[in-house]
Amino acid sequence: MLVLGIEDTQIWLAYVFCVLSALGCMVYGALNWRGGEEEQVVKSGTQRTAVQDQ
């Protein structure tokens, strides 16, 4: 399989899996996207806990 001058099949598969991995990460991130409002609630909740413990 001579694609882009790469003769070894294992090297070609490594490139393909890297691209598929990057695409998988983008899909996972898009599906699990959290809004900014939820992050602020979590941060304020942890700050309250820290103040109450002191």
Side-chain angles (χ1 to χ4, degrees), residues 2-44:
L2 184 62
V3 179
L4 301 173
I6 302 170
E7 295 180 11
D8 191 11
T9 306
Q10 292 177 344
I11 302 293
W12 173 240
L13 287 174
Y15 280 110
V16 169
F17 286 134
C18 285
V19 170
L20 290 176
S21 174
L23 291 173
C25 288
M26 288 188 283
V27 169
Y28 176 80
L31 293 175
N32 294 310
W33 186 265
R34 303 268 192 249
E37 184 177 324
E38 291 179 12
E39 290 179 13
Q40 290 175 355
V41 170
V42 171
K43 287 180 183 176
S44 65

